[in-house]
């Protein structure tokens, strides 16, 4: 229900190529680091969002979504489920077109709010797993 193939395909192919990756730091041991690299390999511009505002994979980081001075198409969320709803609300407020909650990031109320605001949303999936499957 929270990750139908049509929505996954639309977000990955038609929604836009600028992805804010919330929780992305320069820690190469974290999942966000590897996922961001995969997104770049598939032509996405990643925008690191982390309180440290570190540069990651050659892209300048920002402390929050509100600090990003240009439009973002998709907000990819790597924070704990208890914080994810607030990030989803920020994504809507900042004009994102879609929200993607990573594996094990689940907030059904946030999903309903994002969908009610007219945005596409995927929850409990990973774009680095899904994007190579588009060619199948």
């Amino acid at each position: 229900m929270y990750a139908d193939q049509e929505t996954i395909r639309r977000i990955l192919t038609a929604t836009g190529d600028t992805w804010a990756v919330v929780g992305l730091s320069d820690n190469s041991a974290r999942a966000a680091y590897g996922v961001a690299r995969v997104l770049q390999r598939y032509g996405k511009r990643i925008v690191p969002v982390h309180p440290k505002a570190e540069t990651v994979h050659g892209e300048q980081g920002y402390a929050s979504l509100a600090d990003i001075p240009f439009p973002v198409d998709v907000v990819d969320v790597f924070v704990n489920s208890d914080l994810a709803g607030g990030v989803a609300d920020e994504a809507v407020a900042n004009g994102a077109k879609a929200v993607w909650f990573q594996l094990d990031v689940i907030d059904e109320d946030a999903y309903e709010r994002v969908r009610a605001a007219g945005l596409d949303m995927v929850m409990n999936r990973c774009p680095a797993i899904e994007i190579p499957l588009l060619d199948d």
Side-chain angles (χ1 to χ4, degrees), residues 92-129:
V92 170
N94 286 302
K97 299 174 187 170
V99 176
W100 190 299
F101 279 10
Q102 282 293 326
L103 295 171
D104 298 324
V105 179
I106 299 168
D107 182 331
E108 293 178 6
D109 292 337
Y111 180 89
E112 296 302 328
R113 290 193 308 271
V114 169
R115 297 294 295 133
L119 282 69
D120 277 333
M121 183 164 177
V122 170
M123 187 164 63
N124 194 29
R125 295 297 269 276
C126 178
I129 293 170

PDB file of all heavy atoms in Angstrom, residues 92-129:
ATOM      1  N   VAL A  92       6.693  19.069   2.471  1.00  0.00           N
ATOM      2  CA  VAL A  92       5.473  19.639   1.893  1.00  0.00           C
ATOM      3  C   VAL A  92       5.550  21.167   1.939  1.00  0.00           C
ATOM      4  O   VAL A  92       5.297  21.844   0.934  1.00  0.00           O
ATOM      5  CB  VAL A  92       4.220  19.132   2.646  1.00  0.00           C
ATOM      6  CG1 VAL A  92       2.979  19.896   2.212  1.00  0.00           C
ATOM      7  CG2 VAL A  92       4.044  17.628   2.438  1.00  0.00           C
ATOM      8  N   ALA A  93       5.922  21.708   3.096  1.00  0.00           N
ATOM      9  CA  ALA A  93       5.985  23.160   3.267  1.00  0.00           C
ATOM     10  C   ALA A  93       7.001  23.811   2.335  1.00  0.00           C
ATOM     11  O   ALA A  93       6.816  24.956   1.916  1.00  0.00           O
ATOM     12  CB  ALA A  93       6.319  23.506   4.725  1.00  0.00           C
ATOM     13  N   ASN A  94       8.065  23.082   1.997  1.00  0.00           N
ATOM     14  CA  ASN A  94       9.120  23.642   1.157  1.00  0.00           C
ATOM     15  C   ASN A  94       8.939  23.344  -0.326  1.00  0.00           C
ATOM     16  O   ASN A  94       9.839  23.610  -1.117  1.00  0.00           O
ATOM     17  CB  ASN A  94      10.488  23.162   1.648  1.00  0.00           C
ATOM     18  CG  ASN A  94      10.894  23.871   2.923  1.00  0.00           C
ATOM     19  OD1 ASN A  94      10.983  25.080   2.966  1.00  0.00           O
ATOM     20  ND2 ASN A  94      11.114  23.110   3.976  1.00  0.00           N
ATOM     21  N   GLY A  95       7.800  22.777  -0.711  1.00  0.00           N
ATOM     22  CA  GLY A  95       7.480  22.633  -2.125  1.00  0.00           C
ATOM     23  C   GLY A  95       8.027  21.400  -2.822  1.00  0.00           C
ATOM     24  O   GLY A  95       8.072  21.368  -4.055  1.00  0.00           O
ATOM     25  N   ALA A  96       8.431  20.384  -2.068  1.00  0.00           N
ATOM     26  CA  ALA A  96       8.875  19.144  -2.714  1.00  0.00           C
ATOM     27  C   ALA A  96       7.712  18.516  -3.482  1.00  0.00           C
ATOM     28  O   ALA A  96       6.546  18.770  -3.191  1.00  0.00           O
ATOM     29  CB  ALA A  96       9.404  18.166  -1.665  1.00  0.00           C
ATOM     30  N   LYS A  97       8.052  17.694  -4.454  1.00  0.00           N
ATOM     31  CA  LYS A  97       7.036  17.005  -5.250  1.00  0.00           C
ATOM     32  C   LYS A  97       6.738  15.609  -4.726  1.00  0.00           C
ATOM     33  O   LYS A  97       5.696  15.044  -5.029  1.00  0.00           O
ATOM     34  CB  LYS A  97       7.498  16.912  -6.701  1.00  0.00           C
ATOM     35  CG  LYS A  97       7.706  18.251  -7.359  1.00  0.00           C
ATOM     36  CD  LYS A  97       8.293  18.072  -8.744  1.00  0.00           C
ATOM     37  CE  LYS A  97       8.675  19.405  -9.361  1.00  0.00           C
ATOM     38  NZ  LYS A  97       9.465  19.211 -10.590  1.00  0.00           N
ATOM     39  N   ALA A  98       7.685  15.039  -3.968  1.00  0.00           N
ATOM     40  CA  ALA A  98       7.515  13.685  -3.447  1.00  0.00           C
ATOM     41  C   ALA A  98       8.362  13.498  -2.197  1.00  0.00           C
ATOM     42  O   ALA A  98       9.361  14.191  -2.004  1.00  0.00           O
ATOM     43  CB  ALA A  98       7.912  12.654  -4.505  1.00  0.00           C
ATOM     44  N   VAL A  99       7.948  12.523  -1.386  1.00  0.00           N
ATOM     45  CA  VAL A  99       8.675  12.155  -0.176  1.00  0.00           C
ATOM     46  C   VAL A  99       8.914  10.652  -0.226  1.00  0.00           C
ATOM     47  O   VAL A  99       8.032   9.883  -0.602  1.00  0.00           O
ATOM     48  CB  VAL A  99       7.887  12.529   1.094  1.00  0.00           C
ATOM     49  CG1 VAL A  99       8.606  12.056   2.355  1.00  0.00           C
ATOM     50  CG2 VAL A  99       7.639  14.036   1.151  1.00  0.00           C
ATOM     51  N   TRP A 100      10.122  10.256   0.168  1.00  0.00           N
ATOM     52  CA  TRP A 100      10.488   8.839   0.169  1.00  0.00           C
ATOM     53  C   TRP A 100      11.046   8.496   1.544  1.00  0.00           C
ATOM     54  O   TRP A 100      12.073   9.023   1.949  1.00  0.00           O
ATOM     55  CB  TRP A 100      11.546   8.580  -0.907  1.00  0.00           C
ATOM     56  CG  TRP A 100      11.814   7.137  -1.158  1.00  0.00           C
ATOM     57  CD1 TRP A 100      12.284   6.216  -0.260  1.00  0.00           C
ATOM     58  CD2 TRP A 100      11.629   6.441  -2.380  1.00  0.00           C
ATOM     59  NE1 TRP A 100      12.394   4.997  -0.859  1.00  0.00           N
ATOM     60  CE2 TRP A 100      12.005   5.112  -2.167  1.00  0.00           C
ATOM     61  CE3 TRP A 100      11.196   6.828  -3.657  1.00  0.00           C
ATOM     62  CZ2 TRP A 100      11.950   4.152  -3.165  1.00  0.00           C
ATOM     63  CZ3 TRP A 100      11.144   5.881  -4.650  1.00  0.00           C
ATOM     64  CH2 TRP A 100      11.512   4.555  -4.411  1.00  0.00           C
ATOM     65  N   PHE A 101      10.353   7.613   2.276  1.00  0.00           N
ATOM     66  CA  PHE A 101      10.846   7.127   3.567  1.00  0.00           C
ATOM     67  C   PHE A 101      11.603   5.833   3.327  1.00  0.00           C
ATOM     68  O   PHE A 101      11.074   4.894   2.736  1.00  0.00           O
ATOM     69  CB  PHE A 101       9.693   6.846   4.533  1.00  0.00           C
ATOM     70  CG  PHE A 101       9.132   8.056   5.242  1.00  0.00           C
ATOM     71  CD1 PHE A 101       9.470   9.344   4.891  1.00  0.00           C
ATOM     72  CD2 PHE A 101       8.232   7.878   6.275  1.00  0.00           C
ATOM     73  CE1 PHE A 101       8.939  10.443   5.545  1.00  0.00           C
ATOM     74  CE2 PHE A 101       7.687   8.967   6.947  1.00  0.00           C
ATOM     75  CZ  PHE A 101       8.035  10.251   6.593  1.00  0.00           C
ATOM     76  N   GLN A 102      12.820   5.780   3.804  1.00  0.00           N
ATOM     77  CA  GLN A 102      13.697   4.632   3.614  1.00  0.00           C
ATOM     78  C   GLN A 102      13.196   3.385   4.335  1.00  0.00           C
ATOM     79  O   GLN A 102      12.219   3.439   5.086  1.00  0.00           O
ATOM     80  CB  GLN A 102      15.098   4.978   4.113  1.00  0.00           C
ATOM     81  CG  GLN A 102      15.883   5.826   3.154  1.00  0.00           C
ATOM     82  CD  GLN A 102      16.228   5.096   1.874  1.00  0.00           C
ATOM     83  OE1 GLN A 102      16.474   3.902   1.836  1.00  0.00           O
ATOM     84  NE2 GLN A 102      16.258   5.830   0.776  1.00  0.00           N
ATOM     85  N   LEU A 103      13.899   2.280   4.121  1.00  0.00           N
ATOM     86  CA  LEU A 103      13.577   1.030   4.801  1.00  0.00           C
ATOM     87  C   LEU A 103      13.497   1.245   6.307  1.00  0.00           C
ATOM     88  O   LEU A 103      14.351   1.910   6.889  1.00  0.00           O
ATOM     89  CB  LEU A 103      14.639  -0.031   4.497  1.00  0.00           C
ATOM     90  CG  LEU A 103      14.729  -0.482   3.041  1.00  0.00           C
ATOM     91  CD1 LEU A 103      15.953  -1.365   2.845  1.00  0.00           C
ATOM     92  CD2 LEU A 103      13.467  -1.216   2.628  1.00  0.00           C
ATOM     93  N   ASP A 104      12.454   0.713   6.905  1.00  0.00           N
ATOM     94  CA  ASP A 104      12.212   0.793   8.350  1.00  0.00           C
ATOM     95  C   ASP A 104      11.871   2.189   8.846  1.00  0.00           C
ATOM     96  O   ASP A 104      11.791   2.401  10.062  1.00  0.00           O
ATOM     97  CB  ASP A 104      13.396   0.227   9.155  1.00  0.00           C
ATOM     98  CG  ASP A 104      13.636  -1.250   8.865  1.00  0.00           C
ATOM     99  OD1 ASP A 104      12.641  -1.977   8.666  1.00  0.00           O
ATOM    100  OD2 ASP A 104      14.801  -1.666   8.821  1.00  0.00           O
ATOM    101  N   VAL A 105      11.673   3.136   7.960  1.00  0.00           N
ATOM    102  CA  VAL A 105      11.179   4.460   8.357  1.00  0.00           C
ATOM    103  C   VAL A 105       9.686   4.460   8.046  1.00  0.00           C
ATOM    104  O   VAL A 105       9.279   4.451   6.884  1.00  0.00           O
ATOM    105  CB  VAL A 105      11.903   5.602   7.616  1.00  0.00           C
ATOM    106  CG1 VAL A 105      11.332   6.953   8.040  1.00  0.00           C
ATOM    107  CG2 VAL A 105      13.404   5.539   7.872  1.00  0.00           C
ATOM    108  N   ILE A 106       8.889   4.423   9.117  1.00  0.00           N
ATOM    109  CA  ILE A 106       7.445   4.248   8.959  1.00  0.00           C
ATOM    110  C   ILE A 106       6.704   5.243   9.841  1.00  0.00           C
ATOM    111  O   ILE A 106       6.957   5.328  11.043  1.00  0.00           O
ATOM    112  CB  ILE A 106       7.027   2.805   9.317  1.00  0.00           C
ATOM    113  CG1 ILE A 106       7.728   1.817   8.378  1.00  0.00           C
ATOM    114  CG2 ILE A 106       5.517   2.647   9.272  1.00  0.00           C
ATOM    115  CD1 ILE A 106       7.625   0.382   8.788  1.00  0.00           C
ATOM    116  N   ASP A 107       5.808   5.989   9.222  1.00  0.00           N
ATOM    117  CA  ASP A 107       4.909   6.894   9.940  1.00  0.00           C
ATOM    118  C   ASP A 107       3.652   7.014   9.078  1.00  0.00           C
ATOM    119  O   ASP A 107       3.613   7.795   8.123  1.00  0.00           O
ATOM    120  CB  ASP A 107       5.573   8.246  10.166  1.00  0.00           C
ATOM    121  CG  ASP A 107       4.703   9.214  10.959  1.00  0.00           C
ATOM    122  OD1 ASP A 107       3.456   9.115  10.880  1.00  0.00           O
ATOM    123  OD2 ASP A 107       5.262  10.082  11.645  1.00  0.00           O
ATOM    124  N   GLU A 108       2.655   6.223   9.413  1.00  0.00           N
ATOM    125  CA  GLU A 108       1.440   6.177   8.601  1.00  0.00           C
ATOM    126  C   GLU A 108       0.698   7.512   8.598  1.00  0.00           C
ATOM    127  O   GLU A 108       0.120   7.894   7.583  1.00  0.00           O
ATOM    128  CB  GLU A 108       0.549   5.037   9.069  1.00  0.00           C
ATOM    129  CG  GLU A 108       1.183   3.687   8.806  1.00  0.00           C
ATOM    130  CD  GLU A 108       0.363   2.514   9.301  1.00  0.00           C
ATOM    131  OE1 GLU A 108      -0.779   2.728   9.759  1.00  0.00           O
ATOM    132  OE2 GLU A 108       0.868   1.385   9.216  1.00  0.00           O
ATOM    133  N   ASP A 109       0.699   8.222   9.718  1.00  0.00           N
ATOM    134  CA  ASP A 109       0.048   9.528   9.765  1.00  0.00           C
ATOM    135  C   ASP A 109       0.740  10.514   8.824  1.00  0.00           C
ATOM    136  O   ASP A 109       0.074  11.283   8.117  1.00  0.00           O
ATOM    137  CB  ASP A 109       0.032  10.085  11.189  1.00  0.00           C
ATOM    138  CG  ASP A 109      -0.872   9.291  12.121  1.00  0.00           C
ATOM    139  OD1 ASP A 109      -1.801   8.608  11.627  1.00  0.00           O
ATOM    140  OD2 ASP A 109      -0.648   9.343  13.336  1.00  0.00           O
ATOM    141  N   ALA A 110       2.058  10.497   8.803  1.00  0.00           N
ATOM    142  CA  ALA A 110       2.801  11.370   7.889  1.00  0.00           C
ATOM    143  C   ALA A 110       2.484  11.007   6.444  1.00  0.00           C
ATOM    144  O   ALA A 110       2.319  11.894   5.599  1.00  0.00           O
ATOM    145  CB  ALA A 110       4.300  11.271   8.150  1.00  0.00           C
ATOM    146  N   TYR A 111       2.407   9.715   6.156  1.00  0.00           N
ATOM    147  CA  TYR A 111       2.058   9.270   4.803  1.00  0.00           C
ATOM    148  C   TYR A 111       0.717   9.875   4.386  1.00  0.00           C
ATOM    149  O   TYR A 111       0.597  10.423   3.286  1.00  0.00           O
ATOM    150  CB  TYR A 111       1.998   7.734   4.752  1.00  0.00           C
ATOM    151  CG  TYR A 111       1.650   7.194   3.388  1.00  0.00           C
ATOM    152  CD1 TYR A 111       2.642   6.919   2.464  1.00  0.00           C
ATOM    153  CD2 TYR A 111       0.327   6.969   3.025  1.00  0.00           C
ATOM    154  CE1 TYR A 111       2.332   6.425   1.202  1.00  0.00           C
ATOM    155  CE2 TYR A 111       0.002   6.478   1.766  1.00  0.00           C
ATOM    156  CZ  TYR A 111       1.003   6.211   0.867  1.00  0.00           C
ATOM    157  OH  TYR A 111       0.689   5.742  -0.378  1.00  0.00           O
ATOM    158  N   GLU A 112      -0.259   9.787   5.254  1.00  0.00           N
ATOM    159  CA  GLU A 112      -1.589  10.330   4.942  1.00  0.00           C
ATOM    160  C   GLU A 112      -1.543  11.843   4.740  1.00  0.00           C
ATOM    161  O   GLU A 112      -2.194  12.370   3.830  1.00  0.00           O
ATOM    162  CB  GLU A 112      -2.589   9.949   6.036  1.00  0.00           C
ATOM    163  CG  GLU A 112      -2.829   8.459   6.162  1.00  0.00           C
ATOM    164  CD  GLU A 112      -3.330   7.799   4.884  1.00  0.00           C
ATOM    165  OE1 GLU A 112      -4.055   8.448   4.106  1.00  0.00           O
ATOM    166  OE2 GLU A 112      -2.964   6.623   4.657  1.00  0.00           O
ATOM    167  N   ARG A 113      -0.772  12.553   5.562  1.00  0.00           N
ATOM    168  CA  ARG A 113      -0.666  14.012   5.412  1.00  0.00           C
ATOM    169  C   ARG A 113      -0.013  14.387   4.085  1.00  0.00           C
ATOM    170  O   ARG A 113      -0.469  15.308   3.392  1.00  0.00           O
ATOM    171  CB  ARG A 113       0.133  14.616   6.574  1.00  0.00           C
ATOM    172  CG  ARG A 113      -0.565  14.590   7.895  1.00  0.00           C
ATOM    173  CD  ARG A 113       0.110  15.479   8.941  1.00  0.00           C
ATOM    174  NE  ARG A 113       1.534  15.249   9.124  1.00  0.00           N
ATOM    175  CZ  ARG A 113       2.057  14.369   9.972  1.00  0.00           C
ATOM    176  NH1 ARG A 113       1.281  13.586  10.695  1.00  0.00           N
ATOM    177  NH2 ARG A 113       3.379  14.260  10.095  1.00  0.00           N
ATOM    178  N   VAL A 114       1.050  13.695   3.735  1.00  0.00           N
ATOM    179  CA  VAL A 114       1.765  13.994   2.489  1.00  0.00           C
ATOM    180  C   VAL A 114       0.854  13.722   1.291  1.00  0.00           C
ATOM    181  O   VAL A 114       0.767  14.531   0.367  1.00  0.00           O
ATOM    182  CB  VAL A 114       3.072  13.179   2.404  1.00  0.00           C
ATOM    183  CG1 VAL A 114       3.694  13.262   1.017  1.00  0.00           C
ATOM    184  CG2 VAL A 114       4.064  13.666   3.453  1.00  0.00           C
ATOM    185  N   ARG A 115       0.162  12.597   1.295  1.00  0.00           N
ATOM    186  CA  ARG A 115      -0.744  12.258   0.190  1.00  0.00           C
ATOM    187  C   ARG A 115      -1.902  13.254   0.120  1.00  0.00           C
ATOM    188  O   ARG A 115      -2.305  13.676  -0.961  1.00  0.00           O
ATOM    189  CB  ARG A 115      -1.271  10.824   0.356  1.00  0.00           C
ATOM    190  CG  ARG A 115      -0.187   9.753   0.300  1.00  0.00           C
ATOM    191  CD  ARG A 115       0.483   9.635  -1.059  1.00  0.00           C
ATOM    192  NE  ARG A 115      -0.499   9.177  -2.016  1.00  0.00           N
ATOM    193  CZ  ARG A 115      -0.689   9.717  -3.216  1.00  0.00           C
ATOM    194  NH1 ARG A 115       0.064  10.707  -3.623  1.00  0.00           N
ATOM    195  NH2 ARG A 115      -1.608   9.266  -4.029  1.00  0.00           N
ATOM    196  N   ALA A 116      -2.424  13.653   1.278  1.00  0.00           N
ATOM    197  CA  ALA A 116      -3.511  14.631   1.314  1.00  0.00           C
ATOM    198  C   ALA A 116      -3.070  15.980   0.751  1.00  0.00           C
ATOM    199  O   ALA A 116      -3.884  16.724   0.196  1.00  0.00           O
ATOM    200  CB  ALA A 116      -4.035  14.797   2.742  1.00  0.00           C
ATOM    201  N   ALA A 117      -1.772  16.277   0.866  1.00  0.00           N
ATOM    202  CA  ALA A 117      -1.228  17.525   0.318  1.00  0.00           C
ATOM    203  C   ALA A 117      -0.974  17.427  -1.182  1.00  0.00           C
ATOM    204  O   ALA A 117      -0.564  18.401  -1.811  1.00  0.00           O
ATOM    205  CB  ALA A 117       0.068  17.891   1.046  1.00  0.00           C
ATOM    206  N   GLY A 118      -1.216  16.237  -1.748  1.00  0.00           N
ATOM    207  CA  GLY A 118      -1.094  16.073  -3.194  1.00  0.00           C
ATOM    208  C   GLY A 118       0.253  15.579  -3.686  1.00  0.00           C
ATOM    209  O   GLY A 118       0.498  15.552  -4.891  1.00  0.00           O
ATOM    210  N   LEU A 119       1.132  15.175  -2.775  1.00  0.00           N
ATOM    211  CA  LEU A 119       2.455  14.691  -3.171  1.00  0.00           C
ATOM    212  C   LEU A 119       2.451  13.169  -3.269  1.00  0.00           C
ATOM    213  O   LEU A 119       1.677  12.497  -2.603  1.00  0.00           O
ATOM    214  CB  LEU A 119       3.510  15.089  -2.139  1.00  0.00           C
ATOM    215  CG  LEU A 119       4.031  16.520  -2.155  1.00  0.00           C
ATOM    216  CD1 LEU A 119       2.967  17.497  -1.716  1.00  0.00           C
ATOM    217  CD2 LEU A 119       5.238  16.626  -1.250  1.00  0.00           C
ATOM    218  N   ASP A 120       3.329  12.646  -4.100  1.00  0.00           N
ATOM    219  CA  ASP A 120       3.585  11.215  -4.111  1.00  0.00           C
ATOM    220  C   ASP A 120       4.428  10.870  -2.895  1.00  0.00           C
ATOM    221  O   ASP A 120       5.240  11.679  -2.436  1.00  0.00           O
ATOM    222  CB  ASP A 120       4.362  10.795  -5.368  1.00  0.00           C
ATOM    223  CG  ASP A 120       3.465  10.602  -6.570  1.00  0.00           C
ATOM    224  OD1 ASP A 120       2.275  10.278  -6.391  1.00  0.00           O
ATOM    225  OD2 ASP A 120       3.961  10.768  -7.695  1.00  0.00           O
ATOM    226  N   MET A 121       4.248   9.647  -2.383  1.00  0.00           N
ATOM    227  CA  MET A 121       5.067   9.201  -1.264  1.00  0.00           C
ATOM    228  C   MET A 121       5.236   7.697  -1.313  1.00  0.00           C
ATOM    229  O   MET A 121       4.319   6.964  -1.677  1.00  0.00           O
ATOM    230  CB  MET A 121       4.455   9.598   0.068  1.00  0.00           C
ATOM    231  CG  MET A 121       5.339   9.196   1.236  1.00  0.00           C
ATOM    232  SD  MET A 121       4.880  10.024   2.756  1.00  0.00           S
ATOM    233  CE  MET A 121       6.039   9.242   3.876  1.00  0.00           C
ATOM    234  N   VAL A 122       6.444   7.272  -0.950  1.00  0.00           N
ATOM    235  CA  VAL A 122       6.789   5.866  -0.789  1.00  0.00           C
ATOM    236  C   VAL A 122       7.345   5.709   0.616  1.00  0.00           C
ATOM    237  O   VAL A 122       8.065   6.580   1.106  1.00  0.00           O
ATOM    238  CB  VAL A 122       7.838   5.434  -1.845  1.00  0.00           C
ATOM    239  CG1 VAL A 122       8.383   4.060  -1.539  1.00  0.00           C
ATOM    240  CG2 VAL A 122       7.240   5.487  -3.233  1.00  0.00           C
ATOM    241  N   MET A 123       6.987   4.601   1.271  1.00  0.00           N
ATOM    242  CA  MET A 123       7.433   4.378   2.639  1.00  0.00           C
ATOM    243  C   MET A 123       7.973   2.956   2.782  1.00  0.00           C
ATOM    244  O   MET A 123       7.421   2.015   2.214  1.00  0.00           O
ATOM    245  CB  MET A 123       6.253   4.599   3.594  1.00  0.00           C
ATOM    246  CG  MET A 123       6.611   4.552   5.051  1.00  0.00           C
ATOM    247  SD  MET A 123       5.308   5.264   6.122  1.00  0.00           S
ATOM    248  CE  MET A 123       3.941   4.171   5.817  1.00  0.00           C
ATOM    249  N   ASN A 124       9.060   2.828   3.549  1.00  0.00           N
ATOM    250  CA  ASN A 124       9.675   1.540   3.860  1.00  0.00           C
ATOM    251  C   ASN A 124      10.239   0.852   2.618  1.00  0.00           C
ATOM    252  O   ASN A 124      10.154  -0.358   2.471  1.00  0.00           O
ATOM    253  CB  ASN A 124       8.679   0.626   4.595  1.00  0.00           C
ATOM    254  CG  ASN A 124       9.346  -0.566   5.238  1.00  0.00           C
ATOM    255  OD1 ASN A 124      10.513  -0.517   5.629  1.00  0.00           O
ATOM    256  ND2 ASN A 124       8.611  -1.653   5.354  1.00  0.00           N
ATOM    257  N   ARG A 125      10.840   1.643   1.739  1.00  0.00           N
ATOM    258  CA  ARG A 125      11.522   1.123   0.552  1.00  0.00           C
ATOM    259  C   ARG A 125      12.810   1.902   0.362  1.00  0.00           C
ATOM    260  O   ARG A 125      12.992   2.973   0.924  1.00  0.00           O
ATOM    261  CB  ARG A 125      10.649   1.284  -0.705  1.00  0.00           C
ATOM    262  CG  ARG A 125       9.377   0.488  -0.703  1.00  0.00           C
ATOM    263  CD  ARG A 125       9.569  -1.010  -0.661  1.00  0.00           C
ATOM    264  NE  ARG A 125       9.654  -1.665  -1.940  1.00  0.00           N
ATOM    265  CZ  ARG A 125       8.604  -2.047  -2.661  1.00  0.00           C
ATOM    266  NH1 ARG A 125       7.388  -1.807  -2.264  1.00  0.00           N
ATOM    267  NH2 ARG A 125       8.806  -2.671  -3.788  1.00  0.00           N
ATOM    268  N   CYS A 126      13.691   1.392  -0.497  1.00  0.00           N
ATOM    269  CA  CYS A 126      14.967   2.052  -0.750  1.00  0.00           C
ATOM    270  C   CYS A 126      15.115   2.324  -2.246  1.00  0.00           C
ATOM    271  O   CYS A 126      15.043   1.389  -3.049  1.00  0.00           O
ATOM    272  CB  CYS A 126      16.117   1.176  -0.266  1.00  0.00           C
ATOM    273  SG  CYS A 126      17.726   1.916  -0.601  1.00  0.00           S
ATOM    274  N   PRO A 127      15.349   3.576  -2.644  1.00  0.00           N
ATOM    275  CA  PRO A 127      15.482   3.872  -4.072  1.00  0.00           C
ATOM    276  C   PRO A 127      16.702   3.190  -4.706  1.00  0.00           C
ATOM    277  O   PRO A 127      16.679   2.876  -5.886  1.00  0.00           O
ATOM    278  CB  PRO A 127      15.594   5.391  -4.132  1.00  0.00           C
ATOM    279  CG  PRO A 127      16.068   5.796  -2.775  1.00  0.00           C
ATOM    280  CD  PRO A 127      15.495   4.785  -1.823  1.00  0.00           C
ATOM    281  N   ALA A 128      17.743   2.940  -3.906  1.00  0.00           N
ATOM    282  CA  ALA A 128      18.929   2.273  -4.463  1.00  0.00           C
ATOM    283  C   ALA A 128      18.634   0.819  -4.823  1.00  0.00           C
ATOM    284  O   ALA A 128      19.290   0.245  -5.698  1.00  0.00           O
ATOM    285  CB  ALA A 128      20.086   2.343  -3.479  1.00  0.00           C
ATOM    286  N   ILE A 129      17.650   0.233  -4.189  1.00  0.00           N
ATOM    287  CA  ILE A 129      17.204  -1.113  -4.539  1.00  0.00           C
ATOM    288  C   ILE A 129      16.225  -1.052  -5.706  1.00  0.00           C
ATOM    289  O   ILE A 129      16.277  -1.884  -6.621  1.00  0.00           O
ATOM    290  CB  ILE A 129      16.538  -1.798  -3.318  1.00  0.00           C
ATOM    291  CG1 ILE A 129      17.585  -2.048  -2.226  1.00  0.00           C
ATOM    292  CG2 ILE A 129      15.848  -3.105  -3.731  1.00  0.00           C
ATOM    293  CD1 ILE A 129      16.982  -2.500  -0.892  1.00  0.00           C
TER     294      ILE A 129
END
